[in-house]
Amino acid sequence: NAGVTQTPKFQVLKTGQSMTLQCAQDMNHEYMSWYRQDPGMGLRLIHYSVGAGITDQGEVPNGYNVSRSTTEDFPLRLLSAAPSQTSVYFCASSTKGSISYEQYFGPGTRLTVT
Amino acid sequence: DQQVKQNSPSLSVQEGRISILNCDYTNSMFDYFLWYKKYPAEGPTFLISISSIKDKNEDGRFTVFLNKSAKHLSLHIVPSQPGDSAVYFCAASVSSSNYKLTFGKGTLLTVNP
C-alpha cells in the first residue's frame, strides 16, 4: 500500500493563478481531509469529505474548493492564489472503523505564492 | 481562540531520561485525543491516542495521561532516544468525527545524546 500520496511536492505560483493539489489514498478509507500548516501553527482543517460526493468546510475554507468523485481521490483547488495561501498542505484519510481514530497523512505539498 | 494548546514551543532532554509533553484543551465536547510526531519535510505520523473514558494509555515507550477535570493531557516518553527528536502535535476530536482533528501548535522535542 502506498498510503496517502500527494502531488506535487513543491509548487510556486504567482498571485491570481489557479492550481489543483492532488491527493489519493489506496486504503479504501471513507474519510479524507485537507489541512494547512503555517510556521508556528498547528495544522488547520480546510475541507473534509465523509464519502464520495459529500464534502464540507473546515476551519479555514476560504479560497479553496474540493470535490470527491471517487473514494480514492480528494483534490484541493486554489481558485485565485494569494500570498496568504503560502503554506504546507497535508491531505489525510481515515476510516470510521478505526479503533484509534487516527488519520493517516500524506507527505505534504509546499506551496509558495509570490 | 485556540481550543488545543501546547504552551511549550520546545523541550530539550538528555538521552535515556523522560520527556514529558503537555497539552491543554478548552472544548468539553472533545472526547478523543491523539499525539502525532512530525519530522521536517514529512507528514505527521500517528503515535498514540486515548479516549476520554480512560485516564492512561501505554504503547511501548509512550504513555499518554488524560486528566478530564483539568482538561489536560500529557505524553511521556521513557527512555528518550535521539530518534525521538521531532515536533509533537497534540490533537483532539469529537469521537464521531475523526476526520476533523483540532491540533495544537506543536512542541519541538530535542533529545541530546
Side-chain angles (χ1 to χ4, degrees):
Chain A
N1 280 355
V4 179
T5 57
Q6 293 184 237
T7 55
K9 284 188 168 27
F10 301 95
Q11 183 71 49
V12 179
L13 289 179
K14 292 189 186 324
T15 298
Q17 288 185 316
S18 63
M19 79 159 294
T20 299
L21 279 64
Q22 301 292 345
C23 174
Q25 53 95 6
D26 61 0
M27 297 174 281
N28 204 30
H29 285 172
E30 301 90 346
Y31 306 144
M32 295 186 77
S33 307
W34 276 102
Y35 295 85
R36 60 177 287 175
Q37 185 193 12
D38 301 302
M41 303 284 287
L43 282 72
R44 292 183 292 168
L45 183 65
I46 304 172
H47 284 286
Y48 63 92
S49 168
V50 298
I54 308 170
T55 64
D56 206 345
Q57 297 180 351
E59 181 187 352
V60 288
N62 291 343
Y64 307 96
N65 270 1
V66 291
S67 60
R68 183 115 179 259
S69 55
T70 66
T71 300
E72 295 77 21
D73 300 297
F74 191 42
L76 178 72
R77 279 181 287 278
L78 281 71
L79 307 172
S80 177
S84 61
Q85 294 178 304
T86 294
S87 189
V88 182
Y89 292 84
F90 293 101
C91 179
S93 73
S94 55
T95 177
K96 64 175 82 172
S98 171
I99 296 172
S100 62
Y101 279 83
E102 67 176 290
Q103 283 191 305
Y104 295 80
F105 283 82
T109 294
R110 184 175 293 274
L111 176 68
T112 302
V113 183
T114 61
Chain B
D1 178 30
Q2 262 198 294
Q3 299 185 68
V4 177
K5 299 178 186 178
Q6 294 177 258
N7 292 321
S8 298
S10 62
L11 174 69
S12 182
V13 300
Q14 285 299 119
E15 180 178 6
R17 306 295 290 267
I18 184 171
S19 296
I20 300 177
L21 296 98
N22 293 304
C23 179
D24 298 293
Y25 62 97
T26 58
N27 188 341
S28 300
M29 297 298 292
F30 290 144
D31 57 2
Y32 222 91
F33 304 91
L34 305 90
W35 285 93
Y36 279 82
K37 175 180 179 179
K38 186 181 179 306
Y39 293 117
E42 292 184 12
T45 54
F46 172 75
L47 262 182
I48 191 169
S49 60
I50 188 167
S51 161
S52 61
I53 63 172
K54 294 186 172 184
D55 54 18
K56 177 180 172 182
N57 190 26
E58 268 182 279
D59 184 0
R61 296 186 297 114
F62 302 92
T63 303
V64 56
F65 296 92
L66 175 62
N67 182 333
K68 278 181 60 179
S69 60
K71 293 192 176 67
H72 176 83
L73 60 154
S74 60
L75 175 69
H76 292 210
I77 306 173
V78 184
S80 301
Q81 300 172 353
D84 296 330
S85 298
V87 176
Y88 288 78
F89 289 102
C90 172
S93 77
V94 176
S95 60
S96 58
S97 307
N98 67 332
Y99 42 83
K100 292 169 66 175
L101 295 181
T102 300
F103 283 83
K105 291 185 177 182
T107 297
L108 173 63
L109 173 66
T110 303
V111 181
N112 301 303

